Amino acid sequence: MKGKWYKSRPWKWTLIGMSHIFSVILIISLVWVMNCPEAIQRMLESRTINYEETNAISQQMLTDTMHILGYIEAENRFETDGKYDGDKIIDITELTVGDRMTSGENVYGIAYRLDDLISWEEAFREDRINSSSSGGVMKDPIVVCEKKDHTYEYYYFSEFKKKIDDGEFRFVMETEDMTSFDILNQLKNGNWYEGSYSGNRYAVMEKEGEIRYVNCWNYDGYWIEEMFAPEGANSLLDIVNEDSRWNGRLESAYNAVQTAFDTLASEKTQYENGLEEYEEGNTNLTYLYADKENKKLYTNCEEYGEYDDLEQSVSEMKKAGQYILVKPTLKGFESNIDGAGSQAWKSHVEAYGTVSKDFLYAAKVDTTYPIHDSYESAADLYNAAADKAGTFCMLGIISLIGLLIAIVWLTIVAGRVPEDKEVHLNRFDDVKTEIAAALVIGLWIGCVAILGFSLDSISMGLTYDTGYASSELALNHPALWACVCGMAVASCGWFLVGWLSLVRRIKARTVWKNSALRWLMIRLHRGWNWAVTYIPSMWKLCIALGVFLITQWLMASGEWVLVMSGLAAEAVVVLYIIRQECGKKQILKGVKRIAEGEVDYKIPVEKLKGEEREIAEYINKIGEGLDAAVEASLKNERLKTDLITNVSHDIKTPLTSIINYIDLLKRENFTDPKVLGYLDVLESKAQRLKTLTEDVVEASKVSSGNVNLQYMDIDLAEMIQQTSGEFSEKFEKRRLKEVLSLPEEPAIICADGQRMWRVIENIYNNAAKYAMEGTRIYADLKVEEKTVAFSLKNISEQPLNISADELTERFIRGDISRSTEGSGLGLSIAKNITELMHGDFEIYLDGDLFRVTITMPRVIK
């Protein structure tokens, strides 16, 4: 075992732990290097690449630009003449569609005051008003009315009912089953939809008798409870009714309102946050946005504040630092930053900027970093990471090599132990191959997804809070590193679980044997064999089922004759199936009772018919045969027992006389050595015959259970110690050394003392006779929570040429043992007595090793 330490469990766990450590170091190195690719280039080319030369600064500037332009747009939306204007008219179409310009007028038909929209949006977001998205119910349902020209008018139910009650409107189609009251009640409950009630249309007539609407129903589209009236109308329904651009598009109007809420909420947040962090003196970033159509200029540098000096200001910005210049065309894009994407910059400026089609946006970063801001921090982090990139690159290579070595080593020793050359599987290896693979992959994906989601959330939060790319910040943030390390540990752990399980299955050749696909194929094959075997004998049931199915198909016509025929057929089939099942249950019950030992049981056949009756009769005949066989066996066993007992008793009486006369002869003073030798042989053989006779009688009693046991509490340790002392002389004669191991605590059992002594004596006597001379005999007594176990093991003098079970049979000894004294009943008697006292008697053979173990219930005082 010492030479196979590399297979030991501690060393395997050490390799697994090292694999996880290598994985973490490898992932950390990869993340570090991936965040600083220019640093690797710098290392390979032996030159310096600063943060200002990377695309990272362009990304950071782009993020800041989106914040700045978003605020400028919100400012134009919320302010008039530089001040917040709550009465400003906001057209929701201008707010949500196209270039999102704000004219301050109602252009597309639906417009609200700015303050009204903001209050409405806050109530909607806080669920203080009902809407279909929140699962609310309309307090006043909307009724849709269709005109002859297929245009529509919308009413709140209360308004529509008033017109009905005042006689201004009335329904044209009324029946006893559906009156005006019923129709209004359905409309009030919001349950009357277009096409309801078998497609009936309920026209509405004016009081003059002309048809006003050809149909009416409840509106069932998306809706939001109105808090404020739109500009120039009492409600949104009025606009949809009167403006042809919105007629029939009520759901579109509501959706436009919700989209306006989303846009307004985002811009309101940007407007409230302001641009304090981007004011001159707070950042190394200088920006300039010029709306050339309206001749407006937005900048954080007082020096560039004059619109007339725009070109000069741009020229000044380009003289120092890293800059970006964006114009409406890609041709006008300029930058001194490598990798700055012109298309990305142009699209972002157009998306986040104002509506001007003729604009100019310029931004630059003072790379001397006179102000301690996010740009300086990002540059410091990048430079620090770049300096360590070479070290981490080397660590990554070493970790990769170490990880591969550990995996190869684990692959070689997977399923192996130092004690033997067998392949050992664990509980997970017993799971079906495909199911195990799915579990491992699923759990790995789950762990990585959770950690990846956490990583993404933290990364987005850092980007939003700091305003620059989180990839640089990640190199100095513990939470992000924790997620990365967690992903490495999860990936390595689940990979090893799946890979090593697959390796063990391959070595044990159970990949296919324990496959779910194989299991399914076997079940299908068995099902096919069953069908081929049994379906031909079930033709009656198949015909009945076919008739049943055909009858069901005919019933679809709805004819009452066929319906009654179908019901009758179903009743017949059900009765037949019930009768069949009852017969099967009756046969199964009989088979179980016979199998449980009640061989004289007879299955009632009076109510069985056909094949079932025939099967039951054959089973009854089998039971009769078994009963006769069991009776004959018991009779033979009784005859054997009686014969052994009688013969032993008949031998015992003259044998006792022989032993007594031998004793009398020895008391005579014979001096002839030959006579004395003859007497010794006679005495020895007579005593052996007496022992054999007693063993035969004892074995007969024990096997028949004709033994009276006197149970008492016995300390088995004391009994073994006493027996060991009595056999010490026999052991010394054959140069046997006993190694006795007894517990310190008492080993109390409940047994018959005399019989238990016979059991211990028999197994000690067996060891004294058949153990190899000059060897050790190990006697161990162990006290466990509920049992007391005694084992005696020795090396046999001759090869054991029979099985362990045969050794406990009567008159059984090994071939070489037949030249020794003994009856061949010792172990059989010991086993039977032990089992009578509710114990276990077990013999174990391994080559020449012989071990007997006796286990008895423990008595706890």
Side-chain angles (χ1 to χ4, degrees), residues 634-652:
L634 290 174
K635 184 177 180 180
N636 291 335
E637 190 66 26
R638 283 195 298 269
L639 289 173
K640 288 180 183 178
T641 302
D642 292 342
L643 176 63
I644 291 170
T645 304
N646 293 334
V647 170
S648 299
H649 185 270
D650 291 343
I651 292 174
K652 191 174 182 181

Side-chain angles (χ1 to χ4, degrees), residues 411-412 414-416 422-426 429-431 433 497-515:
T411 301
I412 294 172
R416 305 293 185 182
E422 300 295 325
V423 178
H424 296 266
L425 304 177
N426 58 30
D429 299 333
D430 294 333
V431 179
T433 303
V497 169
W499 171 250
L500 296 181
S501 177
L502 178 62
V503 171
R504 289 190 295 269
R505 292 166 192 257
I506 293 173
K507 291 181 178 180
R509 299 181 179 179
T510 62
V511 176
W512 174 246
K513 185 178 180 181
N514 196 28
S515 168

Side-chain angles (χ1 to χ4, degrees), residues 450-460 479-481 483-484 487:
I450 292 171
L451 292 169
F453 177 77
S454 301
L455 180 65
D456 188 58
S457 299
I458 296 171
S459 176
M460 290 179 62
L480 290 172
W481 280 124
C483 291
V484 170
M487 294 174 71

Side-chain angles (χ1 to χ4, degrees), residues 6 92 124 131 196 233 315 351 506 570 573 579 593 634 728 735 781 807:
Y6 57 89
I92 62 171
F124 174 79
S131 67
S196 298
S315 299
I506 293 173
E570 289 177 5
V573 171
R579 188 171 183 178
R593 294 183 66 171
L634 290 174
S728 60
R735 295 185 295 110
L781 180 64
L807 279 176

Side-chain angles (χ1 to χ4, degrees), residues 420-624:
D420 54 48
K421 296 183 179 180
E422 300 295 325
V423 178
H424 296 266
L425 304 177
N426 58 30
R427 292 183 180 180
F428 183 73
D429 299 333
D430 294 333
V431 179
K432 298 297 181 185
T433 303
E434 294 86 349
I435 298 175
L439 281 174
V440 170
I441 295 173
L443 291 171
W444 171 72
I445 291 174
C447 292
V448 172
I450 292 171
L451 292 169
F453 177 77
S454 301
L455 180 65
D456 188 58
S457 299
I458 296 171
S459 176
M460 290 179 62
L462 292 174
T463 303
Y464 182 80
D465 293 339
T466 60
Y468 58 92
S470 60
S471 58
E472 289 77 26
L473 185 63
L475 302 177
N476 202 31
H477 199 280
L480 290 172
W481 280 124
C483 291
V484 170
C485 293
M487 294 174 71
V489 170
S491 299
C492 179
W494 288 118
F495 169 77
L496 289 178
V497 169
W499 171 250
L500 296 181
S501 177
L502 178 62
V503 171
R504 289 190 295 269
R505 292 166 192 257
I506 293 173
K507 291 181 178 180
R509 299 181 179 179
T510 62
V511 176
W512 174 246
K513 185 178 180 181
N514 196 28
S515 168
L517 180 59
R518 177 178 178 271
W519 178 86
L520 180 62
M521 291 174 65
I522 290 174
R523 294 301 182 276
L524 292 174
H525 181 68
R526 290 178 180 175
W528 172 256
N529 290 339
W530 179 89
V532 171
T533 303
Y534 291 104
I535 286 182
S537 63
M538 297 171 62
W539 60 272
K540 292 181 180 179
L541 185 60
C542 293
I543 291 175
L545 182 60
V547 171
F548 174 78
L549 293 175
I550 293 172
T551 305
Q552 289 289 341
W553 178 74
L554 293 174
M555 285 172 58
S557 62
E559 295 293 335
W560 70 271
V561 176
L562 295 177
V563 171
M564 296 303 296
S565 300
L567 292 175
E570 289 177 5
V572 171
V573 171
V574 169
L575 289 175
Y576 177 80
I577 293 174
I578 291 175
R579 188 171 183 178
Q580 291 286 95
E581 288 299 318
C582 290
K584 291 178 183 177
K585 292 291 183 183
Q586 195 169 1
I587 294 173
L588 180 61
K589 178 183 176 182
V591 172
K592 284 184 177 179
R593 294 183 66 171
I594 294 172
E596 291 171 355
E598 195 176 346
V599 294
D600 58 345
Y601 178 80
K602 303 294 183 195
I603 300 174
V605 296
E606 293 79 10
K607 297 183 179 180
L608 299 179
K609 303 293 182 182
E611 291 182 351
E612 292 179 347
R613 185 185 183 96
E614 187 178 357
I615 292 170
E617 290 175 347
Y618 277 117
I619 291 174
N620 288 338
K621 291 180 181 179
I622 292 172
E624 292 173 0

Side-chain angles (χ1 to χ4, degrees), residues 338-404:
D338 291 338
S342 58
Q343 183 62 54
W345 271 95
K346 177 179 177 294
S347 60
H348 278 82
V349 171
E350 289 178 342
Y352 283 86
T354 60
V355 298
S356 176
K357 295 181 181 179
D358 188 7
F359 65 88
L360 183 148
Y361 178 78
K364 79 161 186 176
V365 174
D366 188 345
T367 53
T368 61
Y369 305 116
I371 299 171
H372 301 294
D373 66 349
S374 58
Y375 288 92
E376 184 194 37
S377 300
D380 292 342
L381 285 173
Y382 173 84
N383 292 329
D387 293 338
K388 299 176 182 177
T391 303
F392 276 97
C393 186
M394 186 59 64
L395 279 175
I397 295 173
I398 295 172
S399 299
L400 178 60
I401 295 173
L403 179 61
L404 292 175

